[in-house]
Amino acid sequence: MLRVSNVEVVYNDVIQVLRGVSLTAEQGRITALLGANGAGKTTLLRALSGLLDIHDGKVTKGEIRLGEQAIHTWNAPKIVSAGLGQVLEGRRVFAEFTVEENLRIGGHTRRGGLSESIDEIYELFPVLAERRRRTAGYLSGGEQQMLAMGRALVAHPEVILLDEPSLGLAPRMVQQVKDLVVRVNQERGTTVLLVEQNAMMALSIASHGYVMEQGKIVMDDEAQNLLNNEDIRDFYLGRGELSTSYRNLKHYKRRKRWLS
Amino acid sequence: MTTFAQAILSGTAQGAIYALLALGFVIIYKATHVISFAQPALMVCGGLFSYHFSAVLGWPFWPSLFIAILLGAALGMVIERLALRPMVGKPVFTLAIITIGVDVVLRVLANRYIGADSRALRYPGGGERYELLGLALSHRQVTIIAVTVITVVSLALFFRYAKAGLAVRATALDQETALAQGVRVGAMFALAWAIAGGLAAIAGTFIATGSGGIEQDTWIIALKALPAIIIGGLDSLQGAVIGGLLVGIVEQVTAVYQAAYLPFLGANFSLVAPYALMLLVLLIRPYGLFGTKEVERV
Ligand SMILES: Nc1ncnc2c1ncn2[C@@H]1O[C@H](COP(=O)(O)OP(=O)(O)OP(=O)(O)O)[C@@H](O)[C@H]1O
Ligand SMILES: [Mg+2]
């Protein structure tokens, strides 16, 4: 279980981005985190996985617990070793590495059993097995997303953070990613914190959802209730399935204040 | 024809030393994005380590070289940890200046040790020569080439198959993503410097076995790595090796022929020839023979 209490994050000592965020990703469940561009979702994930440092950001207040341990002062390698994995926004596969090398580096913190672990990933993502010697940079966007997820799973994390896995994917691929998240969650019992712009996709598989705006959680409910919520429908689900593609449209800048 | 082939062969042996130095430079550059001007000091110190164990303490040559590699690697790690790690994130230019400072400090210390004499290491193979088809190489030259080949192949295998090798490459490509996989990026910086220090120690040791030994101004030899890197491409390991060999060969070929065919270029033009080749390569391929285009902007 991952528990965030009252976390505040400041970049460059002055820019406050998170203003007291509290959130819980229940053990073995999928939790969705929604929010418009710039709400601070990625920043929250960086705080969880110890990547703020490299962005000159800091957790200035609050606490983050992974199981029993307070991890908000730990560095990224220590957090990964403790069982928290992350798929970064924009996939970030090592383009010059082969598929297999990407998976091997995903298992960097493992002690032994690496090839079995990689074989499990090939079973989960057969498309990667076919392309194991291929240079990752030449894979399609969907395949790269699979690779990024596979890479994070090699280490057998207890909790995995997914930052917009459906970003830039065609509807069929989005469906596939969605099925895989469910499979990983069910077969491995991995706790998932799923950040998405595609609210429909995220809420349809999550048990609980949070909505973030301007560095605060402004809504927090059962995923089912959020799906039926007027504001959510209006903001995220307006055009049903197609809401994904808004992300890439320049004119979609509409902001709506929650709870006001 | 034989003269020409002989020049190429001798140049290859000399170029192997440049290749080792250039490799260290490129590994540091790729992994940490630091342009290191501390290679000359690392080379001189590495050579002196071998010298000390072999000539002063009376150890045999090969164990001395082995210890020198370890000490050179340790020196590289100490430099990284003390002088560069605290400056992570500072502009490339600042970091380069810091390495110049480190280089100067280490060379002052090394010069104290060297004193006025030349510190020459006796090479165990003695004066034996190998001859084949009218070409001759000394035992020492053959060893330099062999050691360089073994080193380069081991490094290539390390970066391809070893867990730490893969982690260094990942760090070089994308530090944040490497961190997210649990790679201790700082340790990878240290490892890159350790490798460069070890390579420089090998180069320094073989220079110490040469006719001049190590003198106060021997460090200048390490500057040959610069045209080698620029010819090969700042960010290419194979480029560093080929660039180093080319510099050695061009130098030797010029030394052999220039006095006869282009006397007006003056004595010692062979020392400048690698830079002439470097300018030529820069005109045609600004990012070096094997470099990636992006690096051009640095
Ligand atoms: N390194 C940084 N330094 C300063 N400000 C930053 C930094 N990274 C992000 N920010 C700011 O923090 C705010 C939140 O950014 P963040 O990337 O967390 O949002 P997000 O919810 O993930 O958005 P998106 O949906 O576009 O990915 C933005 O206003 C952004 O400009
Ligand atoms: Mg984001």
Side-chain angles (χ1 to χ4, degrees), chain A residues 18-90:
Chain A
L18 298 190
R19 305 155 196 278
V21 172
S22 298
L23 160 159
T24 304
E26 293 289 349
Q27 185 80 41
R29 300 287 183 81
I30 299 176
T31 305
L33 174 60
L34 313 175
N37 293 132
K41 307 179 295 297
T42 300
T43 301
L44 176 62
L45 296 195
R46 285 177 187 154
L48 297 175
S49 54
L51 293 175
L52 278 175
D53 221 17
I54 195 169
H55 294 279
D56 207 2
K58 268 200 210 72
V59 175
T60 52
K61 223 173 159 185
E63 191 184 58
I64 299 167
R65 281 184 177 275
L66 177 63
E68 293 305 306
Q69 291 161 307
I71 60 170
H72 51 279
T73 54
W74 293 9
N75 62 21
K78 192 167 174 193
I79 294 174
V80 175
S81 303
L84 186 124
Q86 178 172 10
V87 178
L88 297 169
E89 184 173 2

Side-chain angles (χ1 to χ4, degrees), chain A residues 1 3 14 51 60 76 98 101 112 136 146 148 150-151 163 172 194 202 233-234:
Chain A
M1 191 186 64
R3 192 187 289 280
V14 285
L51 293 175
T60 52
T98 62
E101 284 173 331
M146 305 281 167
R151 183 177 63 184
D163 199 346
R172 199 174 52 84
L194 175 59
R233 295 198 76 85
D234 187 28

Side-chain angles (χ1 to χ4, degrees), chain B residues 27-82:
Chain B
I27 289 170
I28 290 176
Y29 176 73
K30 284 196 81 150
T32 72
H33 307 294
V34 171
I35 296 179
S36 162
F37 292 102
Q39 298 313 90
L42 283 172
M43 177 193 84
V44 170
C45 291
L48 291 179
F49 291 146
S50 279
Y51 170 83
H52 191 78
F53 278 87
S54 162
V56 178
L57 302 180
W59 289 33
F61 177 80
W62 292 104
S64 304
L65 172 61
F66 182 71
I67 291 286
I69 293 172
L70 294 184
L71 289 175
L75 181 60
M77 282 167 87
V78 169
I79 295 173
E80 192 279 328
R81 191 69 190 81
L82 296 185

